[in-house]
Amino acid sequence: MPSIDGKRFLASLHALGECGALEGGGVNRLALTDADKSGRDWAVNRMRELDMDVTIDAIGNIVAVYRGTEELPPVMTGSHIDTVRTGGLYDGNYGVLAGLEVIATLRDRGIRSRRPIAVAVFTNEEGARFQPDMMGSLVYVGDLPLEQALTTQDAEGRTVGEELERIGYRGHEAVGSPRVDHFVELHIEQGPVLHRRGIPVGVVEGVQGISWTEFTFEGVSNHAGTTPMELRSDAGYVAACLTTFAHDLALGYGGRQIATVGSVRLTPNLVNVIPNRAVVTVDLRNTDAQALERAEREVLAFAMQAAQTQKVTCRHRSLARFDPVAFDASVVDLVAREAERLGLNVLRMPSGAGHDAQMLARVCPTGMIFVPSIDGLSHNVREDTAPDDLIQGTQLLLQILLRLANRPS
Ligand code: GLV
Ligand code: MN
Ligand code: MN
């Protein structure tokens, strides 16, 4: 088996990390911003240097294909290069650049696999600016209509379509092309499990279900000093109650129930004015589909009840909703086998974060590889992974891609 060039690979992570770099470390490359464009330009340039055939589809997904010896559907890897506003160097970027390092290694040695190998950069995986998350891959697999994705607005009212056009990434390739033979995504774990246990590879068995809901509470703004407590319609108070309710509900369910209120926007947001409006997001996740549904019902019932008690109106809309996903058993086993071949201990585990792989799993056999995140930090500028773990993960990806791409029909 050829070995990847660890030094070149690590340098590529830092080079891409310059696009949208934050002072003091980390990256802000929110989807379809100028920084995202600079990251995309960097990636496309690298793909062309590697003589890959690069296409951009109508939702801005970039797919680069390294030709095989036969014209068959490609084995695909890849991930995303958009980040949250306070992102690190590795979330998503690691999977894309590892894919390109695999291609660079094969090309250096003149190796062509039987099937082509494709590296994809999917649009707006994070969902931090435009919801839902995993937007590009969801359109790719045909489960979000292109028009609906293109007309999605950010908080300032700019649409995905306008922003794609503005940065020059509204492509012409038909969405969903090429048809994918297998998909394998390499990603940092983004949680503490592997690092705490000193295990270098996570064999990902699936992804937990994800439910994002936005609640809008509307009451009456009034003077903070003169309005008696019992005469208030305080939207901010209802938002606070919902926050503690969701947190306590997750603790009460135990196991794998997760709840996060990550965004609360109060209007008018002033020290001496009772808020008349609060817009709150609730992120619920669970590997158990039924428990997730129960949590959603309880959160909704609480929000309505709390609003009514405080004489506040309540509206809600779903921002994203994905059931738990189980990856293909043969790909999961292949990841474990190849890791063991490299002498690496593995842990079979679910993914807590959402990934493009969970969408590709709808159309082809799919799996994922995790490497440890130091102290489990992610969506944080201090996100980090040991260089040896990054390099081993990429070598493992190379072996898995070659096995899949060279297998007989
Ligand atoms: C995507 O990063 C997520 O929120 O899981
Ligand atoms: Mn990611
Ligand atoms: Mn992320």
Side-chain angles (χ1 to χ4, degrees):
M1 274 289 171
S3 293
I4 67 141
D5 180 337
K7 227 167 117 190
R8 171 177 64 188
F9 172 57
L10 296 177
S12 73
L13 276 164
H14 289 277
L16 179 55
E18 290 297 315
C19 305
L22 291 166
E23 227 169 278
V27 179
N28 174 2
R29 218 183 295 130
L30 279 180
L32 312 186
T33 56
D34 291 350
D36 188 14
K37 172 185 166 46
S38 70
R40 286 165 172 267
D41 289 350
W42 188 96
V44 167
N45 190 40
R46 182 74 188 125
M47 291 162 168
R48 296 218 164 105
E49 277 173 10
L50 295 172
D51 298 322
M52 301 177 81
D53 298 325
V54 183
T55 54
I56 296 159
D57 70 20
I59 191 65
N61 295 320
I62 303 167
V63 176
V65 178
Y66 182 71
R67 280 184 301 280
T69 56
E70 294 181 39
E71 291 207 5
L72 293 167
V75 170
M76 183 182 273
T77 189
S79 190
H80 61 98
I81 62 168
D82 67 313
T83 72
V84 295
R85 205 186 298 280
T86 50
L89 289 190
Y90 305 103
D91 179 359
N93 304 302
Y94 175 47
V96 170
L97 293 177
L100 294 180
E101 177 56 37
V102 168
I103 302 302
T105 304
L106 299 182
R107 184 171 166 274
D108 285 349
R109 288 167 180 70
I111 299 172
R112 294 266 168 199
S113 48
R114 181 166 176 247
R115 292 174 181 76
I117 299 178
V119 180
V121 174
F122 291 108
T123 294
N124 182 34
E125 188 272 353
E126 291 291 4
R129 181 179 177 200
F130 298 100
Q131 294 84 39
D133 50 349
M134 283 81 74
M135 181 181 272
S137 46
L138 192 55
V139 175
Y140 193 90
V141 301
D143 284 346
L144 176 63
L146 175 62
E147 207 39 47
Q148 191 179 329
L150 291 173
T151 52
T152 302
Q153 297 184 351
D154 69 3
E156 275 80 49
R158 282 173 298 220
T159 66
V160 167
E162 285 157 15
E163 288 292 88
L164 273 174
E165 198 83 61
R166 188 183 67 79
I167 67 167
Y169 276 90
R170 188 160 172 177
H172 301 292
E173 189 71 14
V175 178
S177 165
R179 191 165 68 73
V180 183
D181 175 79
H182 276 74
F183 185 78
V184 181
E185 181 172 355
L186 172 62
H187 207 284
I188 55 167
E189 180 203 333
Q190 308 183 270
V193 177
L194 294 172
H195 182 232
R196 274 206 192 142
R197 296 180 59 169
I199 298 176
V201 171
V203 175
V204 187
E205 295 185 300
V207 183
Q208 65 182 346
I210 302 175
S211 165
W212 289 357
T213 308
E214 180 188 82
F215 290 91
T216 301
F217 300 111
E218 280 182 290
V220 179
S221 64
N222 207 339
H223 197 294
T226 61
T227 314
M229 296 308 285
E230 68 278 11
L231 293 184
R232 297 175 177 221
S233 297
D234 184 342
Y237 176 62
V238 178
C241 292
L242 180 60
T243 305
T244 55
F245 178 82
H247 185 93
D248 292 346
L249 171 135
L251 291 177
Y253 276 36
R256 294 194 182 277
Q257 183 61 50
I258 303 288
T260 306
V261 171
S263 171
V264 178
R265 284 175 284 145
L266 301 182
T267 308
N269 204 26
L270 295 169
V271 63
N272 56 353
V273 183
I274 298 165
N276 65 306
R277 184 180 164 94
V279 183
V280 188
T281 59
V282 181
D283 174 329
L284 297 172
R285 306 192 192 201
N286 203 320
T287 48
D288 177 335
Q290 282 176 356
L292 181 59
E293 279 172 27
R294 186 153 59 91
E296 288 175 301
R297 281 197 302 275
E298 283 200 51
V299 164
L300 178 58
F302 179 85
M304 311 265 253
Q305 182 59 47
Q308 197 180 29
T309 309
Q310 298 303 318
K311 302 175 288 299
V312 163
T313 62
C314 170
R315 281 181 288 125
H316 59 93
R317 66 183 178 117
S318 174
L319 299 179
R321 179 65 172 81
F322 303 116
D323 278 332
V325 173
F327 287 139
D328 183 270
S330 69
V331 182
V332 172
D333 288 345
L334 176 66
V335 173
R337 256 200 328 276
E338 289 301 324
E340 277 151 22
R341 223 189 271 269
L342 279 172
L344 302 171
N345 283 338
V346 303
L347 181 71
R348 288 176 180 251
M349 62 191 299
S351 169
H355 296 290
D356 295 307
Q358 79 193 81
M359 300 309 160
L360 272 291
R362 299 176 182 198
V363 294
C364 68
T366 293
M368 285 190 79
I369 312 161
F370 276 171
V371 296
S373 291
I374 295 175
D375 295 331
L377 273 185
S378 188
H379 287 188
N380 182 315
V381 296
R382 290 193 291 121
E383 174 183 276
D384 202 4
T385 294
D388 281 353
D389 288 334
L390 292 167
I391 292 168
Q392 279 170 358
T394 306
Q395 183 64 34
L396 176 57
L397 179 70
L398 178 145
Q399 300 200 181
I400 292 166
L401 292 177
L402 274 185
R403 294 259 177 238
L404 289 171
N406 279 330
R407 76 183 197 289
S409 295

